Amino acid sequence: MENLLAARLQMAVSLGFHIIFACVGMAMPFLMAIAEYRWIKSGQQVYQDLAKAWSRGVAIFFATGAVSGTVLSFELGMLWPTFMEHAGPIFGMPFSWEGTAFFVEAIALGLFLYGWDKLRPWTHWLTGLVVGVSGVASGIFVVAANAWMNSPAGFEWVNGAAVNIDPVAAMFNDAWLSQALHMTLAAFVATGFAVAGLHALLLLRDPKNLFHREAVKISLIIGGLAAIFQPLSGDYAAKGVADRQPAKLAAMEGHFSTSQPAPLVIGGIPDEEQQVVHYAIEIPRMLSFLAHGNFDAEVKGLDQIPREEWPPVVITHIAFQIMVASGIIMMLLGLFYYYALWRGKKIIRKRWFLWLIGICTPLGFIAVEAGWIVTEVGRQPWIIYGVMKTRDAVTPMPGLQYSLYLILALYLLLSVIVIWLMYRQIITLSSRYETAKTGG
């Protein structure tokens, strides 16, 4: 296996696992904060039990996220030394701020976990809120660094080196806001639907279990609301991609030929040799509107991009379709849930709805993974868009495939341990609400 492929696969594995831990760490603290808020206001024990169960989940994912994040930081230097040599002084600021946010999050989480009987209720609740805010801030800072790779700023590239470096301009590059907004909402969608789906499946086994019923309600309120707003952030992000990275947009849409107006391609399998998308559905003029807000706008195709600078079209297009389809499904479920709440219908008691939510348990994280494939694969062959190509940044050190195998085995083991720990925590605390023990 050649070095470039092994290095890219290793980063893909590490990022693929870490992003799940990171998303849960960003969103789940707000679920536990809502549960504790309801306990403080109502005095119902079930909400305190939910907050405790979810806080233990936050602790588990915080620990695994710290491990996987540390691995990623080492990989950046070991696998991509040329990249870090030039990029480190430019986009180091968001990483330093991420470290600060992580530090605050760790302190607040410790206070939350061990302060139940030592802090006043509202003070304790506030520490949980700090966990969530610092977790979101941590994610935003990391996304800002990635956004810089897609939209380089804050330096001048002269004779193969960066000069006149401005770390603030680099951090607040043109892509940071759209990517941060889209990623943050994605974290809440994915975590909300995953938590709701897990508790929905357990609720199907014991329909009168109050613990799982309230868990589904809280997580769907958060996940459903985020899913409703997610398409708006996606549209904002896509318009930015159309302006800054036309090759990525063309690969996302399977748009081979520049056209005015341009149709939106739904589904299909791109054929890079024939430069067509087989089995696709086309909506006339819609891509022009989505990309530029004008039904008659010209959309640049891959025919205006040098062939050696094309992203892998098939992977990017299919991943984009999966992301969009998953997002639409969850948006519709979110709208339906809020409609049912508005009409006063107890939709949580319907088995068919619980099955539907249960089936959608992994859907949010599938969308997150697909979205990151679009972001990273769609930027190729560039590691710094328009400045440095990925092949020029990889380490010459041989034998990278062995570290790839080791990392893959490590993350698979870590995932099994996390799933087992989470299942044990939920079952242990929810058992007191089983129908057989409570008399229904």
Side-chain angles (χ1 to χ4, degrees):
M1 184 183 298
E2 65 175 6
N3 263 16
L4 179 59
L5 178 59
R8 289 185 62 195
L9 286 175
Q10 184 171 331
M11 288 297 296
V13 169
S14 299
L15 277 169
F17 280 97
H18 178 71
I19 198 170
I20 295 176
F21 305 146
C23 284
V24 175
M26 291 170 70
M28 189 171 279
F30 289 95
L31 299 183
M32 74 182 190
I34 292 173
E36 185 178 14
Y37 176 83
R38 290 192 172 184
W39 170 65
I40 294 173
K41 297 295 288 187
S42 69
Q44 296 184 49
Q45 185 62 36
V46 64
Y47 293 122
Q48 186 186 46
D49 289 340
L50 267 176
K52 288 183 175 180
W54 283 341
S55 69
R56 292 169 186 172
V58 170
I60 292 169
F61 279 98
F62 179 84
T64 52
V67 172
S68 58
T70 302
V71 170
L72 277 169
S73 65
F74 280 110
E75 286 176 336
L76 281 172
M78 293 175 61
L79 301 178
W80 314 101
T82 305
F83 167 71
M84 290 304 296
E85 176 187 355
H86 295 287
I90 306 172
F91 78 155
M93 177 178 285
F95 283 119
S96 65
W97 280 107
E98 190 274 338
T100 303
F102 181 83
F103 181 70
V104 172
E105 184 180 6
I107 294 174
L109 181 58
L111 291 171
F112 189 91
L113 291 173
Y114 299 105
W116 280 103
D117 301 320
K118 301 175 179 64
L119 300 174
R120 294 179 181 274
W122 284 112
T123 303
H124 185 266
W125 173 81
L126 185 61
T127 64
L129 198 61
V130 172
V131 174
V133 172
S134 56
V136 169
S138 180
I140 289 175
F141 290 134
V142 172
V143 170
N146 179 268
W148 176 83
M149 298 166 68
N150 289 292
S151 180
F155 68 100
E156 296 178 17
W157 194 253
V158 179
N159 298 324
V163 297
N164 298 327
I165 295 173
D166 183 350
V168 175
M171 178 174 170
F172 296 106
N173 58 80
D174 289 343
W176 85 271
L177 180 59
S178 60
Q179 279 196 213
L181 180 62
H182 196 57
M183 186 65 238
T184 302
L185 284 173
F188 280 87
V189 174
T191 304
F193 272 87
V195 173
L198 174 62
H199 286 283
L201 292 173
L202 293 171
L203 189 58
L204 283 166
R205 293 167 49 184
D206 185 8
K208 295 184 179 180
N209 191 301
L210 182 63
F211 182 88
H212 296 309
R213 185 187 306 160
E214 295 304 315
V216 172
K217 290 179 181 178
I218 293 174
S219 50
L220 268 187
I221 286 174
I222 295 298
L225 184 63
I228 293 170
F229 285 101
Q230 182 69 320
L232 299 177
S233 74
D235 178 70
Y236 175 45
K239 284 180 168 59
V241 170
D243 291 333
R244 294 185 296 270
Q245 296 176 288
K248 178 186 285 188
L249 179 76
M252 288 161 53
E253 299 289 350
H255 188 59
F256 288 98
S257 301
T258 301
S259 54
Q260 182 181 6
L264 177 67
V265 175
I266 300 177
I269 302 175
D271 185 331
E272 294 188 37
E273 295 302 320
Q274 298 184 24
Q275 300 189 16
V276 296
V277 181
H278 300 293
Y279 318 115
I281 299 172
E282 291 190 358
I283 302 179
R285 307 163 71 92
M286 186 56 69
L287 181 57
S288 293
F289 176 75
L290 293 176
H292 300 294
N294 184 343
F295 284 104
D296 296 316
E298 178 183 272
V299 179
K300 189 175 183 179
L302 288 167
D303 58 346
Q304 293 192 22
I305 308 294
R307 189 63 183 260
E308 66 273 12
E309 295 181 6
W310 283 20
V313 180
V314 176
I315 296 175
T316 306
H317 176 75
I318 292 177
F320 180 67
Q321 298 296 311
I322 291 172
M323 180 188 70
V324 172
S326 301
I328 290 174
I329 291 171
M330 291 182 289
M331 178 196 69
L332 293 175
L333 282 172
L335 286 170
F336 179 77
Y337 180 65
Y338 272 93
Y339 173 75
L341 289 179
W342 177 61
R343 293 294 302 273
K345 296 182 179 180
K346 298 180 178 180
I347 194 69
I348 298 297
R349 300 183 185 272
K350 304 294 183 180
R351 289 185 63 85
W352 63 266
F353 183 75
L354 293 177
W355 272 114
L356 189 58
I357 297 300
I359 292 171
C360 291
T361 300
L363 198 59
F365 286 111
I366 290 174
V368 167
E369 298 287 3
W372 272 100
I373 289 173
V374 172
T375 299
E376 299 303 299
V377 176
R379 188 180 62 244
Q380 299 306 313
W382 304 98
I383 192 169
I384 307 175
Y385 189 75
V387 176
M388 180 185 294
K389 291 191 174 180
T390 310
R391 66 170 182 261
D392 298 327
V394 70
T395 178
M397 181 178 67
L400 291 186
Q401 68 269 26
Y402 300 112
S403 62
L404 166 63
Y405 304 147
L406 178 63
I407 288 295
L408 181 59
L410 172 65
Y411 279 120
L412 288 175
L413 176 62
L414 194 61
S415 298
V416 171
I417 294 173
V418 168
I419 292 171
W420 176 73
L421 287 173
M422 288 296 297
Y423 181 79
R424 191 180 71 168
Q425 293 298 329
I426 293 173
I427 293 300
T428 299
L429 272 174
S430 67
S431 61
R432 72 181 63 179
Y433 295 95
E434 289 180 2
T435 304
K437 293 184 178 182
T438 63

